[in-house]
Amino acid sequence: ARARSLAAVWSHQLPTAMCKDTTRPCLLVVLPGAEGRRIVLQRLQHFARICVLVPSADLQRSSWARDIVGDDSWIEWEGSGSGAEEAWQALQAWLQGAPGSAVHGVMTYDEFGVELASFLGERLGVSSTPLEQVRCFRDKSLFRERCRAAGVPGVGFAQIRTPEDVDRVLASDGPRIRFPCVLKPVKGAGSWHVMKIHHRDELRETFVRLYEEMRGGAFPQDVRDGGFLLEEYFGGHEVDIDGWACNGEVGFSLVSDNRPALEPHFLEMGGIYPSQLPIAAVNALELLTKQVVAAFPGMHSCFHFEAKVNSETFEVMPIELNARCGGAECPASVEAVSGYYLPEVAARLALGLDVLPRSPKYGAVASTNIHIFEAGVVTACSDSELDAAACNLVTCVLTGRVGQPHVPNSGSLSCLGWLATGGADAADAERHLQEALSQVSIAVSPQDDKAV
């Protein structure tokens, strides 16, 4: 009823010159991304009029979204995803094209769009997570400092930007960090440039290599400036907690198990929804989620929270909190076992609409990320033989393309796709997953040096 009454109000606020559809609120989606997100925008259009904001650096990758939203709802600016003021100016120019027009909410599902979405939300005066908090989420060092100040459990860590910082950390009077450790970018996602470090000499050697790769790669400037985080390795079971917070309060959370990450690069390998850990471990993780969200007042978005738990002692440790929906198979898998489609939840939170529960389809979902660990060229990548109905398919997205080079062990960049299947319980879902994998054709052949 509330949604219908708000839609009636919005129908008088939205000008005909700006939008032929005057019955739905206007939602700004920041950085629509690659075409795999097409289904997201299509589903959001069921209850909102969608406009998208795209930087010139992303025009080719996001061109598909123009077909979805139309020319009158496409906003672009000259620059990259980090150009907040330029993006604001482009949005203002678009709004001024029809006096009296308004954007009623802002959201993003892209890690590199969360700061910009929060910035624009504050400028527009619509509901959003405060920019100060989003900046802390994205900076792993600031995130840990805030958690430590709030009494949230954690391990020793240090920020490293230069080889001189490595010397400082390893000095006798430096911070007491115990090996093994994990070295990762202070800002980043998808497990790229993450390495397990076993001793002091390995830290020096690995940092020099990653430092040069970071400086020479096509990374945003804020990622380069942030450098790396070195933190003590916490042995335990890694999980994801997906859900949302409304005005600083956790509204829903679902704990799911990650398959053991492939070390030393910590490649994500899929998981099981919901968690099959003992209830005491799940309870400890749910409490940790509330503690972490409370340490960042005003959170108003979906979240993808990564953490670890010792399944014997139930000690817990936060890894990172992302102020957005999880990627890859996560949205479809969470929906399959809970009834909540998190991109829709994020949009409803942004627009001030009630979150509508639906019935789950499966008791459990099993997923996998598809990796091939030999370098070469993709020679096959097809799901044409996949029997979706027989396998209880939840989602299948193959990102590899025949003829493209393949470099393994590069985090999400080396993942060739993902699969998720449902079942009555975890064992049933896993059985369907193995059936689905057997029907997918993916191959990489060694690069022929003579053909280069």
Side-chain angles (χ1 to χ4, degrees):
R2 181 186 176 198
R4 287 194 295 271
S5 63
L6 286 174
V9 172
W10 279 316
S11 69
H12 290 89
Q13 292 177 338
L14 293 176
T16 303
M18 202 67 184
C19 178
K20 295 180 180 179
D21 181 356
T22 60
T23 62
R24 297 176 296 173
C26 182
L27 176 69
L28 176 66
V29 175
V30 176
L31 306 188
E35 190 165 4
R37 301 291 192 173
R38 177 181 291 270
I39 185 62
V40 178
L41 294 193
Q42 290 174 331
R43 291 188 63 165
L44 298 185
Q45 284 181 322
H46 291 164
F47 60 91
R49 179 252 174 137
I50 308 299
C51 55
V52 297
L53 184 62
V54 185
S56 59
D58 227 16
L59 291 182
Q60 183 174 359
R61 190 169 79 109
S62 298
S63 61
W64 62 271
R66 189 191 290 266
D67 297 333
I68 300 291
V69 303
D71 290 341
D72 64 338
S73 296
W74 172 274
I75 311 165
E76 63 181 71
W77 83 93
E78 190 66 30
S80 65
S82 59
E85 288 295 342
E86 293 82 358
W88 171 247
Q89 292 172 11
L91 178 58
Q92 286 289 89
W94 182 79
L95 289 169
Q96 291 168 5
S101 60
V103 169
H104 302 96
V106 182
M107 71 165 284
T108 187
Y109 38 69
D110 190 307
E111 176 62 24
F112 296 106
V114 291
E115 285 191 40
L116 179 55
S118 181
F119 170 84
L120 295 174
E122 289 189 352
R123 286 285 179 94
L124 290 166
V126 298
S127 297
S128 61
T129 301
L131 179 58
E132 174 192 0
Q133 313 297 16
V134 170
R135 285 174 172 161
C136 284
F137 295 147
R138 294 208 64 228
D139 186 308
K140 294 180 177 67
S141 182
L142 290 178
F143 173 72
R144 281 154 178 74
E145 290 174 3
R146 181 75 71 84
C147 286
R148 176 183 287 175
V152 175
V155 297
F157 66 92
Q159 188 168 358
I160 301 175
R161 293 188 176 91
T162 66
E164 290 73 26
D165 288 336
V166 175
D167 294 335
R168 174 183 56 80
V169 168
L170 295 179
S172 58
D173 59 348
R176 296 181 178 179
I177 297 180
R178 298 169 296 180
F179 290 91
C181 293
V182 179
L183 186 66
K184 63 181 72 174
V186 165
K187 291 187 175 182
S191 299
W192 43 264
H193 283 64
V194 179
M195 284 289 293
K196 188 174 183 179
I197 307 296
H198 297 86
H199 49 76
R200 297 163 61 94
D201 291 341
E202 186 179 11
L203 173 60
R204 293 184 186 279
E205 178 183 337
T206 302
F207 178 79
V208 169
R209 176 173 59 81
L210 294 183
Y211 176 76
E212 293 301 325
E213 290 179 3
M214 179 77 80
R215 301 284 294 180
F219 297 102
Q221 191 61 46
D222 63 330
V223 174
R224 300 185 193 185
D225 293 342
F228 290 84
L229 182 85
L230 181 73
E231 68 177 351
E232 295 173 354
Y233 179 80
F234 180 94
H237 193 98
E238 186 168 339
V239 301
D240 292 335
I241 302 100
D242 293 284
W244 69 83
C246 182
N247 298 319
E249 298 286 337
V250 174
F252 169 82
S253 62
L254 176 76
V255 181
S256 59
D257 300 329
N258 287 357
R259 301 181 193 275
L262 198 64
E263 299 180 5
H265 302 281
F266 294 92
L267 297 179
E268 297 178 1
M269 303 302 292
I272 301 290
Y273 301 75
S275 175
Q276 305 297 299
L277 290 169
I279 188 63
V282 173
N283 289 342
L285 290 161
E286 290 176 343
L287 177 59
L288 176 67
T289 303
K290 292 179 180 179
Q291 291 175 324
V292 170
V293 169
F296 300 86
M299 186 174 191
H300 189 79
S301 68
C302 286
F303 57 75
H304 180 72
F305 179 34
E306 300 176 10
K308 274 192 166 184
V309 60
N310 185 311
S311 58
E312 296 180 357
T313 66
F314 306 132
E315 294 177 283
V316 292
M317 185 200 80
I319 298 176
E320 63 185 49
L321 178 64
N322 302 290
R324 55 168 173 80
C325 305
E329 84 286 357
C330 175
S333 299
V334 171
E335 181 183 27
V337 300
S338 73
Y340 292 114
Y341 184 58
L342 293 181
E344 177 180 326
V345 172
R348 288 184 172 275
L349 288 171
L351 295 170
L353 295 172
D354 291 333
V355 175
L356 304 178
R358 298 186 179 90
S359 299
K361 186 174 183 179
Y362 296 111
V365 165
S367 73
T368 186
N369 290 10
I370 301 172
H371 288 275
I372 291 181
F373 299 103
E374 292 78 31
V377 175
V378 176
T379 54
C381 194
S382 172
D383 60 0
S384 61
E385 300 299 318
L386 180 58
D387 188 335
C391 294
N392 286 357
L393 186 67
V394 172
T395 182
C396 175
V397 175
L398 302 184
T399 57
R401 297 291 180 268
V402 172
Q404 77 179 36
H406 176 67
V407 179
N409 301 319
S410 298
S412 60
L413 297 177
S414 62
C415 179
L416 293 170
W418 53 84
L419 264 171
T421 58
D425 54 29
D428 190 36
E430 187 68 39
R431 179 176 61 81
H432 284 119
L433 180 63
Q434 296 308 312
E435 290 177 0
L437 279 171
S438 70
Q439 298 171 16
V440 172
S441 174
I442 298 181
V444 170
S445 296
Q447 178 71 58
D448 184 357
D449 294 335
K450 296 179 179 180
V452 176

